[in-house]
Structure formats: C-alpha cells, structure tokens
Amino acid sequence: MIIIFLLHQLLSRVYFLIDFPITTTADNKETTHVALSKSEVVAIYHSRASIVQRMCHRHYATYLHEVIYAGVGLLCNNGNDTFLPRAMSTLPNDALIDIMHRLRLVDKDIDDNSVIQKENNSYRRRDYLMKVLIHYLTPPSYPLDQLKAFPLDPSEQILFDHSLIHPGNLLLGKTATTPPLSMPKLQTQFLSYLDYLLRNFELVRLESAYEIQINLVDSFDSPSKKNLTIPSSRQNSQAGREWH
C-alpha cells in the first residue's frame, strides 16, 4: 500500500513540474527561463479554449453549439468538470478523435475500436479522452496560491501519515526496514523562486510534523517505561480533602 502512495506522490510531482508556470526563451544561442504570472497562465489556457471553439465552429458546428458559444471560463473548468462531457455527448466518436488529433493530444492513426470500447465497459475509453481534453483546458493551481493555502503548522492529516513522514524506530522497531518516501530535492536547480519556496516550505512542514510525532510518541510511551501508576478518582478526592 505504501508503494502505491509513493507512486501516486511521484506522479503528482511530475505533473506539477510539467504544468509549472515557466516559459523558455532562446536568444543568440542562450536559453533563459522566465516565470509566468498568474494572469499570464490564465491567458494561455483561455487562448487554448478559444482555439478549441474556433476548431469546433469550423468542423463540427452542428454538434457543438454549447461549446462554440460558451465562455472561455466555462471551458477552462472553473469548478465545473461536467460541462464538456455533457456538451460533447452528441459528438460522434470519430469526430472526438479528430478534434483531439488536431489539438495534438492523440494520434489519429489508430483503430477506433481500440480507442473507444463498445462492449460491457462501453465508452470507458471515451471518458479517458474527455479527461485528457479537460486537463488540456484546465489551468493548474498557481504555486503562490498553494503557499497561501498551506497552514503554518502541520495538520493532523499528515502527522501520522507514514507515506509522508518516517514513523521512526519507536513505531517501526529497530529491525524494521525504512519505507521509501517522496521528498522534494534541494540539490538541483530550481525553476523559479516559487519552486524554491514550495520545496523548502514543504520540507519545513514535514520536519516539524516529524518532531511533533516523536514528541507525542515519547510522551505516551514514557509512563509505561517508568512504571508510573495513575491514581484513581477516589484517591484524588481524598488527596484534595487533605490539601484543604
């Protein structure tokens, strides 16, 4: 189970780096990387939505009236990931493949039956294609917004999540093997100052959560080691009367 969580976390990091707001410019054999602002990122995805609308109007106007005349914010999935599947429900399967091929999202030189299954799991592959199209039009969360959403202190969700924090020898035992963890790397180049802030802030949160976890384990484990007895309520009341 831990390996599954590890693969999911590694894939999430890959997707985050792929969609990171940065652009590359080349000038006189010199390549520079420039960070994009939030408005520039939104403008890129709005231009993608406009291209999809023009393509639908030119080739499949009879099927996609809702897509053609919808706002770009609706196409860019502003909290609504059901609009495109509903608006494209009447579009034939080969037309959907043709649109995604024109967008350079899939290869058209494939068998339609292998792309869209028509057996018991009908249109399972079509749902996958729609997810690809929605991901292509949905702008990712901006790194600065992610930093603002994170709490300063570690939450209870990650405090004892062993897929994020090492449980320690007190929980695993001295002879147990250490599970692999997905940690942000600092010995590599950073994409921008936001990437630097995100990686360091995540490491600080995980380190503080690990220290809190160790302190909690020590505090709960120390009475059993010292053979301390917890007085009963009757003894507490009798000691209170003697004090008064």
Side-chain angles (χ1 to χ4, degrees):
M1 184 63 68
I2 296 180
I3 300 299
I4 296 177
F5 283 115
L6 177 63
L7 292 176
H8 177 71
Q9 292 169 4
L10 292 176
L11 285 175
S12 299
R13 294 189 185 279
V14 172
Y15 293 149
F16 172 76
L17 294 176
I18 291 175
D19 297 331
F20 197 82
I22 193 172
T23 184
T24 303
T25 58
D27 186 13
N28 295 329
K29 298 182 180 180
E30 185 175 339
T31 303
T32 57
H33 303 281
V34 180
L36 298 175
S37 63
K38 185 177 180 179
S39 60
E40 291 173 340
V41 173
V42 173
I44 291 174
Y45 284 85
H46 282 184
S47 64
R48 290 183 180 182
S50 299
I51 293 173
V52 172
Q53 287 180 321
R54 291 196 298 268
M55 188 179 300
C56 293
H57 182 269
R58 178 179 300 176
H59 300 283
Y60 303 102
T62 58
Y63 297 101
L64 302 173
H65 290 284
E66 291 188 60
V67 176
I68 294 171
Y69 298 106
V72 291
L74 188 59
L75 291 179
C76 290
N77 189 17
N78 288 347
N80 184 12
D81 56 353
T82 61
F83 173 75
L84 276 178
R86 178 178 55 82
M88 291 187 171
S89 59
T90 59
L91 187 68
N93 299 333
D94 54 350
L96 176 61
I97 298 175
D98 181 64
I99 288 177
M100 299 192 67
H101 171 69
R102 293 175 185 274
L103 294 173
R104 303 296 188 266
L105 297 178
V106 297
D107 189 4
K108 193 176 181 180
D109 297 332
I110 49 180
D111 187 9
D112 293 345
N113 294 326
S114 64
V115 175
I116 301 177
Q117 300 178 1
K118 300 179 181 179
E119 298 178 354
N120 295 329
N121 298 327
S122 61
Y123 298 105
R124 183 183 65 181
R125 197 61 180 160
R126 181 186 177 96
D127 294 339
Y128 169 74
L129 294 176
M130 291 305 304
K131 289 180 180 179
V132 172
L133 182 59
I134 291 173
H135 181 267
Y136 175 74
L137 295 175
T138 303
S141 58
Y142 198 66
L144 188 59
D145 295 337
Q146 296 182 17
L147 281 174
K148 293 179 180 179
F150 284 148
L152 294 178
D153 298 325
S155 60
E156 296 180 4
Q157 183 179 2
I158 67 172
L159 193 58
F160 287 96
D161 190 352
H162 295 168
S163 63
L164 297 175
I165 304 174
H166 186 271
N169 293 331
L170 293 176
L171 296 178
L172 284 179
K174 295 182 179 180
T175 59
T177 58
T178 303
L181 299 177
S182 173
M183 306 293 289
K185 304 297 183 181
L186 296 181
Q187 293 84 9
T188 57
Q189 294 181 350
F190 299 99
L191 300 177
S192 67
Y193 72 95
L194 289 176
D195 184 27
Y196 174 80
L197 289 176
L198 276 174
R199 295 192 200 184
N200 283 273
F201 185 72
E202 185 177 357
L203 285 176
V204 169
R205 290 181 70 234
L206 294 177
E207 182 181 3
S208 59
Y210 176 77
E211 293 177 356
I212 293 173
Q213 172 187 276
I214 294 301
N215 292 334
L216 287 175
V217 172
D218 290 339
S219 62
F220 283 114
D221 195 49
S222 56
S224 61
K225 290 182 179 180
K226 296 180 181 179
N227 295 325
L228 297 178
T229 57
I230 301 176
S232 60
S233 59
R234 183 177 181 181
Q235 293 175 349
N236 287 335
S237 60
Q238 183 177 0
R241 287 194 299 270
E242 292 176 356
W243 183 80
H244 286 292

